[in-house]
Amino acid sequence: MNSSKPRLRPLLVAAAVSPLVAQSSLAAELPRLGQAPLEQVVAALTVQEKVELVTGQGMSFPGLPEDMQAPVVGSIENKVDGAAGATVAVPRLGIPSLVLADGPAGVRISPTRKDAPGRTFHATGFPIGTALASSWDRVLVQRVGAAIGDEAAAYGIDVMLTPAQNIHRYPLGGRNFEYYSEDPVVSGEMAAALVNGLQQRGVGASIKHFAVNNHEWNRNTINVKVDERALREIYLKGFEISARKAQPWTVMSSYNKLNGPYTSESHWLLTDVLRSQWGYQGVVMTDWFGGSDAVAQMQAGNELLMPGTGKQRKAIRDALEAGKLDLAVLDRNVTRILELVLRSRAFKQLPHSDQPDLKASAALSRMAGAQGMVLLKNESGALPLPAAARLALLGHGSYEMIAGGTGSGDVNKAYIVGLPQGLGNAGFSNADGLEALYTGYIGQKKAKLPRTEWYLPQRRIPELDVGQAQLQRLAREQDVAVVTIGRGSGEFVDRSVEGDFRLSAAERLLLQQTAEAFHAEGKKLVVVLNIGGAIETASWAGLADAILLAWQPGQEAGDAIADVLSGAVNPSGKLTDTFALQLSDYPASKGFPGKELLGPDPDAPSPFGLKTARAAEVEYTDGIWVGYRHFDTHKVDVAYPFGFGLSYTTFGYDALTVDASGEGPVRASVRITNTGTVAGKEVAQVYVSAPQGALQKPTQELRAFAKTDLLQPGQSQVLQFEIDGKDLASFDSNRGRWVADRGSYSLRVGASSRDIRLQQAFEKEQESEYTP
């Protein structure tokens, strides 16, 4: 959603004037929310109040058309400056307004307020979604969710618009940084953990964007055409996991169309699948200004239209008067919204301090950032760095840490720890003059960049040509070279190929010249990737002695990276995406992002001042062959496989047991032993290979995973897994059922999808069918 800049609309208060005695008498007779049965409260609402309850307060900012604004009736105020939106209050019935705020990496609100001059209201910038998922640590992610919930509660926020869990179908997807993985099990489990953490603190979560919002190009108009098997197995499965396991208070429908209708107008998606099949009980809201037909949204089961517009309210009122919208449908939607209100901090009148414990959250952010980092390469013990090593920090990325993405995934944090600061805190030194050289260059180049709109990722400056002579001098004087490659991420635009997925010519030259200079002196080159999504590595990885994938690790970036480079933290992150040799190896490359159709005038204004996108469509011809399902099944060479990640120690796997008796879940256990010399954690991944029946199956599919505790050298831990029968099944579109074939299955436990350590076959005596 887009809420990076606009503020909530100032409220227009219009209360009826009555004698005080009459008002008091009337108030005593009115049902109050929480005191009277819900049906009585709904019956006491006027039609106008009901219409307002299913549409938010609205937004106001330059360029917003009048019919997109939504003045409301009632005593409401903008409670939290910079929040994404708010619902409408009905004070006479005891119904407060709720505050909704972004976002996926922490609470996004304005750091300043007109009524509090001189004060700041910062929030903690946590690692991006991909970084959190790369920890494969449910407990850690739940702790992050709880910390975000604590900060939201401190600021009086009722619902956080997170987690974002769409599938990484293709590396160029603009919002992949907010999302978790190419695999729905990882995505669903991570999202469920975050939701549980948030809601344990009494703050609602909103899983988003439901569904198939896999790129930004024409996102408000594009029709995604995907077959039901791929939809069920890949794009909906993660949402099903988080919806069933965590019961988020809200679900946010996506901007795009799905096989015809907008997702926010799809009764099949929002009612048949989400509610009837999955048992979801909460509220469905639109993404901001999402969809086009407010009445269809009401009928589909999209109860809350955000941020709310006058146009939507008029459409609903007109449909009621014309008999095109049944009042019972509106009452149903209002009831669900009131059920949400009853859960909220606002209804419970819980206090808020505006003073969250930012220090404690910063420590957690630092730990989470380090736990999600993935060691991709480490030859000849290049890492950890020798104590007190003299470093040459090269690349402007070393002096311009990227903590997270832009747009609704951004956070107004108080600071970002830079890499020189973090390494200095860890006892390392940088070559004299390098920081001044780079900071001067960055300032000079940035001053000449054309202005970038507030909603777009910042433009990147070209890499500085340090020169061979200077690099040779640094190689003689310093112990290790550290080159940081940085990549920004953001909402509204997809990534580009040149200079983003692939390195620029200047970056390649820097790596080549640095490697030559330092290797000539018998010294090593370490590359740090401060990026939001997969990039091409195969063409240059040979130049580096070590590669640390740091992702965008939050506001404590420099300290978190230094923790791993120094060995204070043993890297235990694993890839949640496959890193291909080249972009064309991904099946989605053939049709990404889609094709434009005849449609709206591209020069017509949109609600956010962006150009209105043309009608467009994309066909997911890759079907279920997303990520490792494609690469492993079709035996395509990769740079780094799904689930891959090195450590400063080694781990042994043994004592695999599998119990697949009866029709119950398959239970398995495995013993993991630290066989190295330093303490570390390991992620054990459980894949299942199914027999080939009527449907073609991937070679293997991830079905479970677990992470060990910190194991000391020689220490072991037994990890246990349980796989439901339905999770052995594939979706048969012809039958409209999940089907698990009879035959021989193989349960495979490994350190990555291509590093299977143990496997055991088990038989399924008969075919099983499961309802969706």
Side-chain angles (χ1 to χ4, degrees), residues 70-253:
V72 297
V73 176
S75 178
I76 314 168
E77 60 184 9
N78 181 1
K79 297 178 181 178
V80 184
D81 197 13
T87 64
V88 172
V90 184
R92 68 187 185 88
L93 301 181
I95 303 171
S97 64
L98 306 186
V99 176
L100 295 75
D102 292 321
V107 178
R108 180 172 175 78
I109 58 174
S110 174
T112 60
R113 299 178 185 175
K114 291 181 180 179
D115 61 355
R119 288 190 63 190
T120 54
F121 302 88
H122 292 298
T124 303
F126 288 94
I128 60 172
T130 304
L132 289 177
S134 296
S135 73
W136 297 66
D137 190 332
R138 297 175 181 86
V139 174
L140 174 64
V141 174
Q142 185 164 327
R143 287 185 61 190
V144 170
I148 294 174
D150 285 339
E151 293 191 19
Y155 282 129
I157 293 163
D158 300 288
V159 176
M160 286 295 299
L161 305 175
T162 185
Q165 59 172 113
N166 293 97
I167 290 295
H168 293 171
R169 176 175 178 251
Y170 189 58
L172 300 190
R175 298 185 81 170
N176 281 0
F177 74 100
E178 294 183 51
Y179 305 153
Y180 292 127
S181 175
E182 68 186 28
D183 181 80
V185 171
V186 175
S187 176
E189 293 289 343
M190 293 297 105
L194 195 83
V195 169
N196 283 328
L198 267 170
Q199 295 185 170
Q200 285 172 0
R201 294 302 201 261
V203 175
S206 185
I207 58 174
K208 62 180 188 181
H209 310 86
F210 190 60
V212 293
N213 184 183
N214 304 112
H215 55 266
E216 293 295 275
W217 180 81
N218 284 326
R219 67 179 185 176
N220 293 80
T221 59
I222 194 163
N223 179 29
V224 178
K225 301 166 71 174
V226 55
D227 70 78
E228 190 174 4
R229 182 186 178 192
L231 187 61
R232 295 275 191 174
E233 293 187 17
I234 306 296
Y235 300 101
L236 297 185
K237 187 64 176 178
F239 286 102
E240 180 180 6
I241 291 170
S242 59
R244 290 184 186 275
K245 287 195 170 186
Q247 278 293 329
W249 292 4
T250 71
V251 170
M252 183 189 293
S253 54

Side-chain angles (χ1 to χ4, degrees), residues 647 649-653 672-676 680-682 708 711 757:
S647 171
T649 190
T650 56
F651 296 94
Y653 290 59
I672 308 296
T673 303
N674 184 341
T675 56
K681 300 178 181 181
E682 174 70 336
T708 68
L711 301 180
R757 304 293 183 88

Side-chain angles (χ1 to χ4, degrees), residues 6-13 48-61 64-91 95-101 156 158 285-286 288-289 303-313 317 337 341 346:
R7 306 287 178 83
L8 295 183
R9 178 181 177 81
L11 285 242
L12 300 182
V13 179
Q48 178 64 19
E49 287 168 337
K50 293 176 182 179
V51 172
E52 289 170 356
L53 279 169
V54 297
T55 52
Q57 285 190 30
M59 302 179 83
S60 179
F61 52 93
L64 187 68
E66 185 63 30
D67 65 358
M68 299 299 286
Q69 302 184 29
V72 297
V73 176
S75 178
I76 314 168
E77 60 184 9
N78 181 1
K79 297 178 181 178
V80 184
D81 197 13
T87 64
V88 172
V90 184
I95 303 171
S97 64
L98 306 186
V99 176
L100 295 75
D158 300 288
M285 73 175 80
T286 63
W288 269 224
F289 300 102
E303 292 87 17
L304 181 59
L305 310 186
M306 291 300 293
T309 71
K311 181 180 180 180
Q312 290 170 332
R313 292 180 179 173
R317 287 194 302 267
I337 290 170
V341 172

